Amino acid sequence: MTRSSAPQAAERTPSARHLGHEEAAIFETFVVPRYLSLFGEGLVKMLAPGRDARVCHIQCRTGYPDRTLLAQLPNAHVYGCDASPHAVELARAKAAALVKGESNVVFDYQVADGLPLSFPAGAFSHAFTLHPVAAPQQRKLLLDELARIVAPRGQALIAMPLRGSFAEIADLLRECALKHELVELTNAVEAALQLRPTEELLEQELEAAGFEYVEIDARTRTLKFAGGRSFFEDPVTRLLVMPEFRVNLALDTPALRAIDPFGYVRDAIDKYWSDGTFEMTVRVGVVSGRRKSV
């Protein structure tokens, strides 16, 4: 594929958390099968099948769901972009093993930080991303880029946690705010919850970006943890859930640092679920749309 300079943009969307060398391996080994597969399996099922597809995977991390794409898209050329060189390196190594003996399959993973990407407009028959950041302004930049790089009648897909995800953590943070009489924490939690889209809102955003035949699949899943320490040490929490929580909640104030809200959450999980397993709700949403014809 020939790449050309993308339109210059005054804004650049923050990428997902940059993965270090060890983190990339942990992500592939633990986060993908335990958590990211909840999103990837639904996304692959909604892929419009076809041969010789040109696919862009934005924020590809270690490449998942690279292997399962090929069942829906034989002879596909998949171009993945991620900000982490270590994640890209692992994605390339996996791809080399995957396409061995498959001369008509191409995986091309590149390091790219932020949007827009360097691909020309209308370059892809399919483009997708898994678990992007939740803030509306960041989704807007992502949707605009999907609309730019997907060809007319091509397909864009986004799989992400919907509003209502991680409700148990929000409830414990509210409890912390009530106990310490911290209105700013209550307000921060409520504002953060609103950043995640509902099913209807995500459909509307895709339509507003220039897509039609929009459909969404939403399912409720749970993740289990042995206790508070287990929750915070789990790779899913460390590499995906908590970084976004910390950004969206904006807890970096003297009053909030003094009480350590997430330390309260850890201790509360250990207290309330001391005789059982802590379960966290995830509302898994996958939305698909076709680019309108010009």
Side-chain angles (χ1 to χ4, degrees):
M1 176 181 295
T2 301
R3 304 190 189 199
S4 63
S5 296
Q8 295 298 310
E11 296 180 275
R12 295 177 67 83
T13 180
S15 60
R17 187 183 191 278
H18 290 209
L19 298 175
H21 178 71
E22 292 184 1
E23 289 176 331
I26 291 171
F27 189 94
E28 175 65 21
T29 304
F30 297 103
V31 177
V32 167
R34 174 165 160 78
Y35 181 69
L36 206 63
S37 61
L38 300 177
F39 302 87
E41 289 171 358
L43 184 144
V44 170
K45 289 179 181 178
M46 293 182 73
L47 272 174
R51 298 183 66 84
D52 303 314
R54 297 294 185 270
V55 185
C56 184
H57 183 179
I58 300 176
Q59 289 183 6
C60 66
R61 300 185 178 99
T62 58
Y64 174 80
D66 41 15
R67 183 180 301 276
T68 52
L69 286 177
L70 300 183
Q72 292 285 84
L73 304 172
N75 298 339
H77 288 214
V78 181
Y79 298 82
C81 304
D82 196 87
S84 167
H86 302 289
V88 168
E89 180 182 7
L90 182 50
R92 289 172 179 167
K94 289 171 51 192
L98 181 61
V99 304
K100 191 174 183 179
E102 298 283 345
S103 59
N104 293 325
V105 176
V106 173
F107 284 95
D108 180 2
Y109 293 107
Q110 302 293 331
V111 178
D113 194 0
L115 301 176
L117 301 171
S118 61
F119 300 112
F124 297 100
S125 61
H126 302 72
F128 69 90
T129 189
L130 293 175
H131 213 287
V133 291
Q137 65 271 24
Q138 295 161 346
R139 288 200 308 274
K140 174 66 165 58
L141 292 173
L142 175 61
L143 287 166
D144 287 346
E145 182 66 355
L146 288 170
R148 186 185 72 82
I149 64 175
V150 172
R153 296 194 288 185
Q155 185 185 29
L157 304 101
I158 299 175
M160 66 181 297
L162 298 174
R163 193 173 301 175
S165 294
F166 321 127
E168 296 79 7
I169 305 303
D171 286 343
L172 293 175
L173 287 170
R174 289 192 189 99
E175 180 181 287
C176 177
L178 182 62
K179 179 177 181 180
H180 294 278
E181 299 182 342
L182 286 170
V183 175
E184 62 176 315
L185 179 56
T186 299
N187 293 340
V189 172
E190 299 306 324
L193 293 176
Q194 297 303 308
L195 294 178
R196 293 206 170 276
T198 62
E199 297 169 48
E200 295 78 11
L201 179 57
L202 194 55
E203 288 179 303
Q204 292 169 7
E205 290 178 346
L206 205 63
E207 290 170 349
F211 293 90
E212 58 187 356
Y213 306 113
V214 175
E215 56 181 335
I216 189 166
D217 179 76
R219 305 183 183 202
T220 300
R221 296 290 184 264
T222 58
L223 290 181
K224 297 182 179 181
F225 304 89
R229 183 173 298 277
S230 173
F231 171 74
F232 281 97
E233 291 180 352
D234 192 288
V236 172
T237 306
R238 288 195 299 107
L239 299 181
L240 278 183
V241 177
M242 285 306 300
E244 191 170 303
F245 253 117
R246 292 186 184 280
V247 170
N248 291 345
L249 282 168
L251 298 180
D252 192 23
T253 67
L256 296 180
R257 286 198 302 269
I259 65 166
D260 184 14
F262 287 114
Y264 182 94
V265 170
R266 179 196 61 228
D267 295 341
I269 292 173
D270 285 337
K271 176 181 177 181
Y272 298 145
W273 286 271
S274 60
D275 296 327
T277 301
F278 172 62
E279 296 187 359
M280 182 176 70
T281 301
V282 185
R283 289 279 296 149
V284 177
V286 183
V287 63
S288 164
R290 293 298 189 111
R291 186 75 173 94
K292 291 181 180 179
S293 301
V294 178

